[in-house]
């Protein structure tokens, strides 16, 4: 294959690996380029590695044959060449950007050292390196502060608590996982963390991180209160890794703008996964990244009709271990005036199920502790088909385990 017809996939994460593998199956070999030292892995399962439940090998992805380890530092669109940090160049015919996300660092003075490295003891939670660094530092009794109470912060706090750390979680919003969950489900997550010994502070803004000799010593709250800390985890969200595209003059808004064929503003460059923005949405979730990779593989293999038209993404969190805890949320979990709500709660067992129906359509739901019905509900939601008018089957969807 000449370099001019070669497909190069930049980023060996979930989307890039899936795309390269699918292309291989469809007879379009691609060169996969990634900068992480480890074998490609399933990022979604990093918290399980941190919790000590899985070894890094268990979450490795089947890597395609053509994997090159390199950090790409620039795209020369005129010559269709990638520049690498080691001075080498990689020519492409079609380039796919699958560069993922960067962790968002909160604007705290103490984080910004002159040499742009995080102080000792402060960790992001995005990569296998972050995970192994944290894993090495955590010991029973270590004082850990997790900043951020979204999906990432909750997973990290739980994993550290399972490893015996004394964990404090500082959440700026008034409740945990407020983007995905309604207040009742948030309360169950809070209870689960508290049962594990995690101290949770909501409506709590962190003002600074204090260091001594380059290592973190405490975290200071907006009200002046200081928490002693040996370890700090930054779980303050992610932003699309779109810097290379932007520097090359490709259209970027929040993420790299793509159309239904996952084409960027340059016809020779496509984008998939966390770095891409499709129809106004940057998903930041695994399922859309994989769906985009599948649609693009079909398109690059010659299917003129392959389109990506969006994903109705379900958020699922499994906190496994002695006290397993499962939750799933999709769509709108808070009703608008006029919506119908069906809700079942069992405080003793810590289960909670709720669906929101607008007109005759399922628009959202949340399940905690009891996920037996999640597949049927997700299908009803994804299909967006009208629900039967008597409401009976809807209750059945929620209770097909007998409603216990
Ligand atoms: C701890 C954790 C838990 C998560 N849990 C869930 C969950 O429960 N459910 C869910 O749906 N999602 C979850 N996510 C999000 C999910 O992991 C992402 O949506 C998914 O990984 C996106 O895949 P991607 O391929 O677009 O990006 P990534 O998996 O981030 O891969 C991008 C790759 O590109 C590489 N790269 C970037 N720039 C360059 C460059 N210039 N040169 C070379 N290589 C480069 C990066 O190093 C990286 O390896 C979680 C994320 C984390 C961190």
């Amino acid at each position: 294959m000449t370099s001019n017809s070669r497909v190069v996939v930049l980023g060996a994460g979930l989307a890039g690996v899936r795309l390269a593998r699918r292309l291989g199956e469809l007879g379009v070999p691609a060169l996969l380029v990634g900068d992480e030292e480890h074998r490609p892995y399933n990022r979604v399962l990093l918290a399980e590695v941190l919790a000590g439940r899985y070894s890094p090998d268990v979450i490795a992805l089947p890597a395609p044959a053509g994997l090159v380890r390199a950090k790409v530092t620039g795209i020369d669109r005129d010559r269709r060449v990638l520049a690498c940090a080691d001075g080498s160049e990689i020519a492409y015919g079609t380039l796919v950007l699958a560069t993922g996300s960067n962790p968002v660092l909160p604007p705290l003075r103490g984080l910004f050292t002159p040499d742009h490295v995080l102080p000792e003891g402060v960790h992001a939670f995005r990569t296998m390196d972050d995970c192994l660094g944290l894993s090495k530092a955590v010991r029973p009794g270590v004082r850990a502060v997790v900043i951020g109470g979204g999906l990432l912060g909750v997973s990290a706090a739980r994993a550290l608590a399972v490893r015996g750390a004394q964990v404090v979680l500082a959440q700026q919003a008034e409740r945990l996982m407020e983007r995905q969950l309604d207040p009742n489900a948030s309360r169950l997550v809070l209870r689960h963390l508290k049962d594990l010994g995690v101290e949770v502070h909501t409506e709590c803004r962190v003002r600074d991180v204090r260091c001594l000799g380059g290592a973190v010593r405490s975290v200071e709250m907006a009200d002046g209160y200081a928490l002693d800390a040996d370890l700090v985890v930054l779980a303050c969200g992610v932003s699309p890794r779109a810097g290379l595209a932007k520097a090359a003059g490709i259209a970027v808004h929040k993420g790299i703008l793509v159309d239904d064929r996952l084409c960027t503003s340059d016809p020779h460059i496509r984008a998939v996964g966390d770095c891409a923005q499709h129809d106004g949405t940057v998903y930041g979730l695994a399922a859309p990244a994989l769906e985009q990779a599948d649609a693009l593989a079909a398109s690059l293999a010659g299917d003129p009709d392959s389109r990506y038209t969006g994903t109705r993404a379900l958020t699922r969190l499994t906190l496994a271990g002695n006290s397993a805890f499962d939750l799933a949320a999709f769509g709108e979990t808070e009703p608008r005036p006029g919506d119908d709500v069906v809700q079942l709660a069992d405080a003793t067992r810590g289960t909670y199920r709720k669906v929101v129906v607008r007109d005759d359509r399922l628009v959202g739901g949340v399940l905690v502790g009891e996920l037996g019905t999640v597949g049927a509900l997700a299908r009803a939601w994804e299909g967006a088909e009208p629900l039967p008018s008597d409401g009976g089957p809807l209750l059945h969807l929620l209770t097909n385990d007998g409603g216990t």
Side-chain angles (χ1 to χ4, degrees):
M1 181 178 297
T2 65
S3 60
N4 229 15
S5 61
R6 177 159 73 174
V7 177
V8 174
V9 180
L10 176 55
L14 275 181
V17 168
R18 170 77 152 241
L19 173 63
R21 241 189 48 226
R22 281 270 192 273
L23 283 172
E25 287 162 10
L26 294 168
V28 184
L31 184 73
L32 181 63
V33 183
D35 61 355
E36 292 193 65
E37 262 182 41
H38 307 272
R39 234 175 102 184
Y41 57 90
N42 185 349
R43 203 172 298 283
V44 170
L45 296 175
L46 280 180
E48 301 298 332
V49 174
L50 180 57
R53 186 158 172 259
Y54 293 155
S55 73
D57 293 349
V58 173
I59 70 163
L61 294 171
L67 173 62
V68 170
R69 204 146 281 141
K71 182 172 177 61
V72 169
T73 52
I75 306 169
D76 183 333
R77 291 165 57 203
D78 293 333
R79 292 172 52 230
R80 286 202 232 159
V81 157
L82 299 179
C84 301
D86 64 4
S88 63
E89 291 190 333
I90 298 171
Y92 66 85
T94 298
L95 171 65
V96 182
L97 297 169
T99 47
S101 301
N102 281 322
V104 170
L105 301 185
L108 308 176
R109 255 177 305 131
L111 290 183
F112 296 96
T113 57
D115 45 1
H116 299 288
V117 287
L118 290 174
E120 194 186 320
V122 180
H123 300 258
F125 190 35
R126 177 75 198 170
T127 64
M128 180 64 86
D129 279 343
D130 295 335
C131 181
L132 296 179
L134 270 168
S135 204
K136 208 166 142 199
V138 68
R139 288 177 310 281
V142 149
R143 294 161 306 178
V145 177
V146 175
I147 305 178
L151 177 75
L152 267 188
V154 166
S155 312
R158 188 197 182 269
L160 293 170
V162 167
R163 296 281 300 275
Q166 287 173 36
V167 186
V168 177
L169 186 152
Q171 160 73 324
Q172 192 161 333
E174 64 180 15
R175 55 193 176 79
L176 296 172
M177 293 182 68
E178 82 286 3
R179 280 179 50 209
Q180 291 94 8
L181 302 183
D182 73 341
N184 285 334
S186 286
R187 265 193 292 279
L188 288 174
V189 175
L190 177 71
R191 192 172 103 184
H192 175 75
L193 289 183
K194 284 188 167 166
D195 287 349
L196 287 168
V198 177
E199 193 180 314
V200 178
H201 297 262
T202 50
E203 295 183 84
C204 167
R205 198 170 63 77
V206 170
R207 188 162 71 187
D208 213 349
V209 169
R210 292 277 161 87
C211 300
L212 195 68
V216 67
R217 284 289 170 264
S218 64
V219 171
E220 192 186 310
M221 305 300 168
D223 61 7
Y225 188 75
L227 285 167
D228 290 341
D230 309 304
L231 263 187
V232 172
V233 181
L234 305 173
C236 307
V238 294
S239 66
R241 205 160 156 177
L244 275 179
K246 202 169 181 176
I250 295 164
V252 171
H253 183 222
K254 281 178 285 182
I256 303 166
L257 296 177
V258 292
D259 62 16
D260 286 2
R261 295 176 58 241
L262 300 154
C263 271
T264 68
S265 57
D266 179 327
H268 300 290
I269 303 182
R270 313 285 192 102
V272 287
D274 277 14
C275 66
Q277 176 176 344
H278 174 264
D279 198 16
T281 304
V282 175
Y283 288 96
L285 288 171
L290 298 175
E291 279 186 24
Q292 290 171 4
D294 290 349
L296 182 55
S299 168
L300 292 176
D303 176 355
D305 299 325
S306 178
R307 295 280 185 280
Y308 173 75
T309 52
T311 304
R312 310 201 90 195
L314 175 123
T315 302
R316 195 162 173 169
L317 180 63
T318 299
L319 302 172
N322 295 339
S323 54
F325 183 85
D326 268 336
L327 69 83
F330 55 93
E332 298 174 49
T333 55
E334 299 272 28
R336 286 194 210 149
D339 288 350
D340 290 321
V341 177
V342 183
Q343 194 167 303
L344 297 170
D346 180 336
T348 318
R349 293 174 57 209
T351 63
Y352 174 65
R353 287 168 278 180
K354 169 181 167 185
V355 289
V356 181
V357 178
R358 182 166 310 141
D359 301 325
D360 57 355
R361 285 182 164 75
L362 183 61
V363 293
V366 55
L367 303 171
V368 181
E370 175 47 73
L371 265 57
T373 53
V374 68
L377 282 171
R379 279 191 298 280
W381 177 63
E382 280 160 10
E385 297 291 328
L387 297 164
S389 54
D390 64 3
L394 178 64
L395 196 62
H396 179 69
L397 275 181
L398 208 54
T399 61
N400 71 359
D401 55 347
T404 52

